[in-house]
Amino acid sequence: MATIQLQQVEKKFSEFYAVKPMDLTIADGEFVSLLGPSGCGKTTTLRMISGLETVSGGIISLDGRNVTWRHPSDRNIAFVFQFYALYPHMNARQNIAFPLQAEGMATADIEKRVEEVVKLLRIESLLKTHPGKLSGGDKQRIALARALVRRPAAFLMDEPLGALDAEFRESMRAEIKRLHLSIHATTVYVTHDQVEAMAMSDRIVVMSAAEVQQVGTPAEVYYDPANLFVARFIGSPGMNLLAGQHVGKQIRLTGRGQYVIPDHLHGPLTEALNGNSEVILGFRPEAAEINPDGTLNGNVYATDMHGAYTMLHINLNENEIIHVRGDRAFSSPIGTQVRFNLKPDMVRFFHPKTEKAIRGEARS
Amino acid sequence: MSSVDLQGITKDFSGIRALDDVTFSIKDGEFFVLLGPTGAGKTTTLRIIAGLTKQDAGTLFFDGDSMEHTTPADRDVAYVFQQYSLYPTMTVFDNLAFPLRSPLRKIPEVEIRKKVDEAAQKLKITHLLDRKTARLSGGEMQRVSIGRAIVREPRLFLMDEPLSNLDAKLRESLRVELQHLQKTQGYTTLFVTHDQIEALTMADRIAILNEGRIIQIGTPNDIYDRPATTFVATLVGTPRINLFKAAWDNGTVLIENSELHIPSAGNTPAQFLLGIRPEDVKPTAEGKFAGKLVLTEPLGVETILHIQSGGQTLLSLIPGMTDLRLNDTVRFNLAQDRLHYFDLEGKRL
C-alpha cells in the first residue's frame, strides 16, 4: 500500500482557481475524505491524484515517488465512481475478472484473486447475474470488487454512495468501512455528505471555495471547527452561531441574556479581539441545556420529534433561530419562553471579521 | 380551512392497482403526512384529492361534502410541487400576486398588495419581492412557491415532496419554517414524502402507504414506538431498527445465530421477529449482555456502534464520541420495555 503526498498542488482554469495550492499527506492505510459543497474543488483534487486531470502547479508523490506527470495507468490507483460503469453484457464474475484478463494474467491466478474478493465482499450469490438485474447497492459492490481485485496501491472513490437510496447508503457506508478495516488500503473518498465523511474517515479535509478549510479527525472538525464555514457545514443541524458583545467576563446577547466566560478563556479572548467587543459565540445543539434558571432565553419556534430525541428550535431575535437537542419527552407550545444554559466545555468563540476560531487551550 | 375524508379510494392504471381501498381523514388544521417509498401511490392520492385524476371507486369529501361533481378549480386546493413552477420573467411580487389577479376573482390591487406583503412576511421573502425569480436560489424559489400557495387562502394545501430538491441544510431550515407556519396559521395540509425524518418531525399524524395500501395511521410517537409491521419499523428511524429472527424457550428469548439470550416473561409464539431500536442498546460496564465491537461510526453528536454476537451484528446508538476500540468486548443492556415483537409475516404481536 501507499502514502500519498500533495505539495502545493493547485489547479487553475485561466485566472480562476479550481483548487488553491494545497498540502496534504495521507498515511499508508489511512481513510481520508475530501468533503465540501459542490464546486469546492474536491473532485478536481481527486482527479489530479488519479492523473485524470493535470496539475497547474505542485508535486504529487505516491510512496515517495513523484508521479505528477505519470499517466493514470502508471500510478497503480483504482477509481470507484458514483455510477458503476459495469459492462452490461458480462455477468458479475466476468466484470470482476476483466481488469486481470486485460493484464494477461493466467486463468488460474485470476480464479484465485476473484475468489478472494468475492469472499471478502460476501457476493457469492451475485456472480452469475448481469448488471441490469442487480440493485444499485449490489452494482456498487461489484464495482468495488472489480477495483479491489487489482490490489491497487490506493483507492480513490468519488461519491460512490451518491446514487443509492437512503437505506442502502447507510448499510453500504458501514460495509465500505468494514472492508477498509480488513484490507487497510489507503483510500481517498470524495463526498458532499458530512454524515458519510464523519462516519467513515480517519481524517477529513473540509474544502470550500477551492480552498482547504481544515484537516482533522471527525472529533476535531466536529468539536473544534477551525472557522465558521466548518462550524456550519459539519453537524445536522450545524453549530449555533450567535453574535454577541464581550463585556467584562461575559458575552452579552442583546435582550437574550448573557454567558459567563470561563476564567481560562478570558485572557485569550481579550487578546484575540484586540479591543473590539464583537464576538461570535458557537455551540452545538447538544451543548445547550433547558433550565428554568438558565442565563439565556428565547421563545419556542418549532419542535421536532426525531424518534430518539426532540430538536427544539428557539427564536432569539428576528430570524435568529437556534437548535437545541432535548429529551424526547420535551414538548412546549410555540411562543413559550424557555431558558437555557450552555455547557462550558462545549462553547466556542469565533472572530467576526476573520471568521476563525479563537482557541484558549492552544495558547496556555 | 377544511377537513378531508377519503373513503375506500381505489385506482387502477391499465390493470395495475395503484391505490387499494385507501381510507383516511384529515382534520381541519391538521398537518397530515403521507409517507412511503417510490411507487407507493402517494402522488396519485394527491392528484385524486386535487381533482386531477379520477378514482375508480370510493368517495372524497371536503367538510363532509362529496367532491364527486366538482372541478379542480371548485375544490380550491393549493398544490406545491417538488419542481418550483414559477414564472421566470416575473418578479417575486408578480408571481405571488398572480393567483389573485385571476379575472374571476376581481380583487382590487390595494388588497392584492396587502395579501402579498403578508405572505412575504410569513415566509421571510420581503427583501426579494422586486427580484426576478430566475435569479433566486433553490431554497428561495421554494419559499416563493409556498408563498404563492398561501396567498390564495385555499381550503387545503397539498405538498408533493416540496423539499426534496434542496440540499440538506436548506431542507432543514425550510422544514422548520414550514412547520412553524402551519402550526401558527392552522393550515390543513397533506404533505407527501419518502423521507421519514420529514414525516416524523413535521406531522401531527402520519399515514404509511406501501404498494397502494395504507399500512398504519398514527402520530409520530405511535409510528415510532408501536410500528404495526416490520415494514414500518424499518422505514422509520435512523440508523435502522435491529431486526432478528428469534425463538422463545421457557422464559428466554434466543436470538437466532447469536449468543444473545434475553430473559422474557413470554406470551410470544415459539418463533417470531424481534426488533430493537439502536438507542435501546445501551452500553454500560455492568451490562447483562456482551459482544465484540466490529465497527464505530462517529457522527459527532452521536456514535453508531456495531456489536457482533455470534453471526449477528447489533447496532447501538450512543451520545457523543466513544473511547471503545475495535475488537473490544462491549457490555450492554437492552431497554426491555421497548422491545418490538412481530410474527414471522412481520405483523406486530
Side-chain angles (χ1 to χ4, degrees):
Chain A
M1 285 302 163
T3 59
I4 300 172
Q5 193 175 27
L6 278 63
Q7 294 165 275
Q8 292 295 299
V9 168
E10 63 173 63
K11 182 71 188 181
K12 261 179 152 177
F13 292 109
S14 67
E15 287 310 296
F16 294 97
Y17 275 110
V19 177
K20 290 186 185 165
M22 72 184 271
D23 292 316
L24 178 67
T25 302
I26 301 170
D28 185 21
E30 199 178 16
F31 193 115
V32 170
S33 290
L34 305 178
L35 170 70
S38 51
C40 72
K42 57 190 191 296
T43 297
T44 306
T45 305
L46 192 77
R47 289 173 60 86
M48 289 192 290
I49 297 172
S50 73
L52 294 175
E53 191 87 62
T54 57
V55 304
S56 308
I59 295 168
I60 298 173
S61 314
L62 272 181
D63 263 342
R65 182 170 67 105
N66 183 341
V67 296
T68 314
W69 298 103
R70 290 297 180 101
H71 192 264
S73 61
D74 285 345
R75 298 190 186 197
N76 194 18
I77 279 176
F79 215 117
V80 180
F81 298 94
Q82 177 171 356
F83 298 101
Y84 329 103
L86 298 173
Y87 301 106
H89 59 287
M90 295 182 187
N91 70 25
R93 172 185 280 277
Q94 289 162 335
N95 264 287
I96 298 169
F98 185 77
L100 301 183
Q101 281 168 345
E103 284 174 22
M105 189 183 277
T107 313
D109 292 338
I110 293 177
E111 290 286 306
K112 230 172 102 189
R113 287 266 199 109
V114 172
E115 203 72 4
E116 250 174 48
V117 299
V118 165
K119 242 172 103 181
L120 193 65
L121 284 162
R122 289 172 291 182
I123 48 175
E124 291 87 351
S125 61
L126 307 176
L127 291 180
K128 291 196 178 124
T129 314
H130 282 70
K133 294 204 166 147
L134 293 171
S135 70
D138 284 341
K139 279 186 208 165
Q140 201 55 285
R141 286 188 185 94
I142 304 303
L144 276 173
R146 193 175 58 182
L148 271 172
V149 82
R150 287 175 44 203
R151 294 186 187 162
F155 281 101
L156 307 182
M157 302 197 191
D158 190 5
E159 307 242 9
L161 308 184
L164 304 181
D165 294 344
E167 56 169 312
F168 268 130
R169 212 155 47 222
E170 214 176 272
S171 61
M172 279 299 285
R173 188 177 83 199
E175 262 183 61
I176 292 181
K177 188 164 182 187
R178 285 189 78 161
L179 182 69
H180 173 75
L181 291 173
S182 63
I183 61 173
H184 274 290
T186 309
T187 304
V188 188
Y189 188 99
V190 161
T191 182
H192 69 277
D193 181 345
Q194 57 94 21
V195 175
E196 246 172 67
M198 289 287 289
M200 300 174 84
S201 314
D202 293 316
R203 283 190 302 153
I204 301 173
V205 180
V206 185
M207 297 182 74
S208 167
E211 211 167 354
V212 173
Q213 305 291 319
Q214 184 171 7
V215 181
T217 62
E220 284 164 355
V221 298
Y222 186 78
Y223 289 118
D224 292 301
N227 57 36
L228 293 181
F229 177 83
V230 180
R232 284 192 193 103
F233 197 76
I234 302 280
S236 167
M239 192 177 258
N240 294 304
L241 298 165
L242 296 172
Q245 306 279 327
H246 179 211
V247 181
K249 294 200 164 179
Q250 296 179 341
I251 306 286
R252 288 191 188 156
L253 303 177
T254 315
R256 290 305 187 178
Q258 62 282 326
Y259 171 75
V260 179
I261 306 161
D263 282 344
H264 71 283
L265 283 173
H266 187 248
L269 202 55
T270 309
E271 187 186 325
L273 294 176
N274 193 22
N276 290 312
S277 62
E278 266 96 52
V279 64
I280 291 173
L281 181 73
F283 58 95
R284 295 274 173 207
E286 67 274 26
E289 288 176 308
I290 303 294
N291 182 329
D293 301 322
T295 61
L296 296 162
N297 70 83
N299 298 82
V300 174
Y301 192 74
T303 54
D304 293 356
M305 211 288 270
H306 281 253
Y309 63 95
T310 293
M311 189 67 79
L312 185 60
H313 307 279
I314 301 177
N315 196 1
L316 296 196
N317 295 302
E318 200 58 39
N319 286 332
E320 198 163 50
I321 292 163
I322 61 157
H323 315 287
V324 173
R325 198 167 151 118
D327 189 76
R328 219 194 104 160
F330 185 93
S331 139
S332 194
I334 289 175
T336 317
Q337 196 190 58
V338 285
R339 301 191 148 272
F340 58 99
N341 282 325
L342 303 178
K343 296 178 188 165
D345 59 333
M346 289 195 71
V347 173
R348 300 291 177 264
F349 301 101
F350 298 88
H351 197 290
K353 295 264 157 43
T354 64
E355 304 202 343
K356 286 189 174 145
I358 300 168
R359 291 193 170 120
E361 294 81 351
R363 289 153 194 266
S364 58
Chain B
M1 304 300 286
S2 289
S3 65
V4 179
D5 285 277
L6 282 78
Q7 286 181 6
I9 300 285
T10 296
K11 176 73 192 173
D12 289 343
F13 288 114
S14 48
I16 293 169
R17 182 130 304 179
L19 292 177
D20 190 358
D21 194 18
V22 167
T23 298
F24 62 83
S25 303
I26 308 171
K27 293 175 210 153
D28 188 6
E30 193 173 29
F31 199 127
F32 194 91
V33 173
L34 207 50
L35 172 68
T38 313
K42 306 185 295 288
T43 298
T44 305
T45 308
L46 278 195
R47 290 181 56 88
I48 287 172
I49 295 172
L52 302 173
T53 298
K54 177 100 181 63
Q55 70 269 31
D56 298 328
T59 318
L60 170 73
F61 301 92
F62 283 9
D63 287 328
D65 301 328
S66 166
M67 291 292 109
E68 188 66 25
H69 300 294
T70 54
T71 63
D74 290 340
R75 294 188 189 186
D76 192 20
V77 302
Y79 210 133
V80 180
F81 300 91
Q82 182 173 347
Q83 310 291 349
Y84 346 102
S85 43
L86 300 175
Y87 302 101
T89 56
M90 290 187 190
T91 61
V92 169
F93 184 93
D94 288 334
N95 265 282
L96 292 175
F98 193 82
L100 301 177
R101 283 177 177 152
S102 149
L104 292 172
R105 292 191 182 238
K106 298 199 184 72
I107 302 173
E109 196 61 30
V110 190
E111 184 84 356
I112 290 178
R113 171 152 285 280
K114 200 170 140 242
K115 284 175 189 280
V116 169
D117 281 344
E118 270 173 28
Q121 219 161 36
K122 283 177 191 157
L123 283 154
K124 302 178 180 169
I125 48 174
T126 304
H127 61 293
L128 301 176
L129 284 175
D130 296 331
R131 260 195 242 168
K132 294 272 201 295
T133 53
R135 310 195 48 186
L136 303 178
S137 72
E140 289 167 342
M141 282 203 228
Q142 201 55 301
R143 278 176 197 257
V144 177
S145 305
I146 296 167
R148 200 171 52 176
I150 68 173
V151 81
R152 284 178 44 196
E153 299 169 13
R155 298 177 81 173
L156 170 69
F157 288 94
L158 301 176
M159 302 202 177
D160 195 353
E161 308 242 9
L163 309 181
S164 297
N165 272 1
L166 306 177
D167 72 35
K169 297 278 167 202
L170 274 175
R171 203 155 60 224
E172 240 164 49
S173 69
L174 199 50
R175 197 179 76 210
V176 173
E177 290 301 337
L178 208 54
Q179 198 190 345
H180 177 81
L181 196 62
Q182 193 276 336
K183 290 275 180 300
T184 51
Q185 306 294 319
Y187 298 139
T188 308
T189 305
L190 176 57
F191 186 102
V192 155
T193 183
H194 69 279
D195 180 342
Q196 55 101 17
I197 300 217
E198 285 179 8
L200 281 183
T201 54
M202 293 197 289
D204 291 315
R205 284 189 305 148
I206 299 170
I208 310 268
L209 192 66
N210 190 35
E211 295 176 343
R213 287 178 195 220
I214 300 280
I215 311 290
Q216 185 174 6
I217 298 175
T219 65
N221 282 319
D222 290 337
I223 300 281
Y224 191 80
D225 292 337
R226 288 173 293 283
T229 66
T230 50
F231 174 81
V232 177
T234 49
L235 186 68
V236 170
T238 42
R240 285 172 89 181
I241 193 168
N242 296 291
L243 204 56
F244 304 111
K245 263 191 167 169
W248 193 78
D249 180 27
N250 198 21
T252 306
V253 169
L254 308 172
I255 293 179
E256 187 185 85
N257 197 14
S258 84
E259 284 135 33
L260 297 172
H261 301 169
I262 307 165
S264 157
N267 252 351
T268 59
Q271 299 271 321
F272 59 96
L273 297 168
L274 181 70
I276 312 170
R277 295 244 177 242
E279 67 271 23
D280 296 329
V281 179
K282 299 170 185 283
T284 160
E286 303 84 41
K288 277 187 266 179
F289 309 101
K292 189 172 84 165
L293 186 65
V294 292
L295 193 68
T296 61
E297 298 184 84
L299 307 180
V301 61
E302 56 206 2
T303 299
I304 305 170
L305 307 178
H306 295 239
I307 303 168
Q308 194 178 318
S309 172
Q312 301 282 19
T313 304
L314 191 68
L315 302 192
S316 164
L317 186 66
I318 59 164
M321 298 277 177
T322 181
D323 296 327
L324 291 165
R325 290 170 168 274
L326 289 188
N327 299 319
D328 278 358
T329 297
V330 187
R331 302 206 68 87
F332 57 94
N333 283 327
L334 300 173
Q336 296 227 12
D337 54 332
R338 295 186 47 85
L339 300 182
H340 304 264
Y341 299 88
F342 303 95
D343 67 21
L344 293 179
E345 273 76 54
K347 248 185 92 190
R348 187 176 192 84
L349 291 164

